[in-house]
Amino acid sequence: MNDRVPLVQMINISKNFGTVQALKNVDFDVHHQEVMGLVGDNGAGKSTLIKILTGVFPPDTGEIYFEGKRVVIRSPKEARAMGIETVYQDLALIPLMSVSRNFFLGREPVACFGPFRFLDKRKMDRVVLDVLSQIGISVRSPDEPVAVLSGGERQSVAIGRALHFGAKLLILDEPTSALSVRETHKVLDYILEAKERGLSIIFITHNIYHVYSVADRITILEHGRKVATLQKSEVTAEEVIEIVRSGYNKKR
């Protein structure tokens, strides 16, 4: 694969919900091994754009290319099969289930004994501890329920899961929301570690300082339109905030 070809290209994407235009002629791309920030006020179109990329909604107009090939993504299952993993704000983790069960949710390994098939719990626990430790994440036990983990620890499990199952693009929806300062720094470190391991990442957030600290580029949406895609090296965090704020003030 030619790394000069973006991993993802979304061209001229538009989406209406009745009389409400959620997106209009949006171009968006993510390069290989890049952290792309996606920012904007509530209602800017961030979630709609990502839901189109992950097969939740079909676009009304536009084209999507993945690894240089035009694709039609009809469902989140198809997106996942292509290597697109999404970690939503609620993480899609089941609090009363163990760390290892959540890690393998829907992809559980089995051991066969004659005609019988059993959940391979030993393998699940071993893989979870190994994968998480490789990216600097320590959990007390793979058997403890997710409910006892902190917000940052839950994010780490979700990110580690995406790494293990061969994701090419990791979409993080507000990953630092409601985290302490210490845990926020940990999650930002996990994001950089995921990039170092070859992933491309879309980081959706309202917190410009958080995304600015790890992003290579930042795309700003406003009222369903793309305002700009900025190279982090060419702007300050304060300048990004001012661009976002100016759109908010115009709306008022």
Side-chain angles (χ1 to χ4, degrees):
M1 174 57 61
N2 184 355
D3 286 350
R4 294 184 180 181
V5 176
L7 177 66
V8 174
Q9 280 184 291
M10 303 179 75
I11 301 172
N12 200 35
I13 300 295
S14 296
K15 183 66 181 178
N16 293 333
F17 296 100
T19 59
V20 177
Q21 187 163 51
L23 294 171
K24 184 171 183 180
N25 303 328
V26 172
D27 293 335
F28 179 72
D29 61 69
V30 183
H31 295 161
H32 291 265
Q33 206 167 354
E34 174 183 51
V35 179
M36 167 63 85
L38 184 59
V39 303
D41 194 32
N42 288 332
K46 304 185 300 296
S47 293
T48 302
L49 185 67
I50 292 307
K51 286 178 178 178
I52 288 173
L53 178 58
T54 55
V56 177
F57 301 140
D60 293 335
T61 67
E63 301 174 347
I64 301 174
Y65 292 82
F66 192 77
E67 297 184 308
K69 298 178 182 178
R70 186 175 179 183
V71 295
V72 177
I73 306 174
R74 299 178 182 86
S75 69
K77 184 178 180 180
E78 287 189 8
R80 176 177 277 187
M82 291 167 54
I84 302 173
E85 289 278 352
T86 307
V87 179
Y88 291 105
Q89 196 169 353
D90 60 9
L91 301 179
L93 299 178
I94 301 174
L96 296 182
M97 288 179 63
S98 70
V99 172
S100 62
R101 287 298 303 273
N102 271 284
F103 191 93
F104 282 96
L105 195 62
R107 297 161 164 168
E108 293 86 352
V110 295
C112 298
F113 297 94
F116 303 105
R117 303 174 76 210
F118 299 92
L119 194 67
D120 195 341
K121 181 70 166 55
R122 183 177 298 177
K123 179 179 179 180
M124 290 168 61
D125 291 348
R126 184 179 69 251
V127 169
V128 166
L129 292 175
D130 183 51
V131 170
L132 295 184
S133 67
Q134 285 181 28
I135 57 175
I137 299 165
S138 176
V139 293
R140 288 168 290 276
S141 167
D143 287 324
E144 66 182 356
V146 161
V148 307
L149 301 183
S150 67
E153 289 171 331
R154 295 186 193 195
Q155 285 285 352
S156 72
V157 170
I159 292 171
R161 180 173 63 187
L163 284 166
H164 176 67
F165 286 106
K168 299 173 183 175
L169 176 67
L170 178 60
I171 301 170
L172 300 174
D173 180 16
E174 298 283 356
T176 57
S177 177
L179 297 185
S180 67
V181 172
R182 183 166 176 256
E183 289 207 305
T184 293
H185 284 304
K186 282 186 178 180
V187 169
L188 295 177
D189 286 342
Y190 299 151
I191 291 171
L192 291 176
E193 178 66 26
K195 175 189 170 182
E196 286 300 310
R197 289 177 175 268
L199 267 72
S200 299
I201 297 145
I202 299 174
F203 185 156
I204 308 166
T205 186
H206 287 82
N207 192 310
I208 305 301
Y209 289 107
H210 289 174
V211 72
Y212 188 86
S213 68
V214 295
D216 298 292
R217 294 187 297 152
I218 298 171
T219 291
I220 301 170
L221 297 183
E222 175 195 328
H223 306 274
R225 298 174 183 262
K226 185 173 82 170
V227 175
T229 294
L230 309 169
Q231 291 282 349
K232 186 180 78 170
S233 60
E234 297 176 355
V235 293
T236 65
E238 288 72 23
E239 287 170 333
V240 178
I241 291 170
E242 187 54 38
I243 294 171
V244 174
R245 186 178 294 156
S246 64
Y248 173 73
N249 289 336
K250 281 192 290 185
K251 186 170 69 173
R252 295 178 67 190

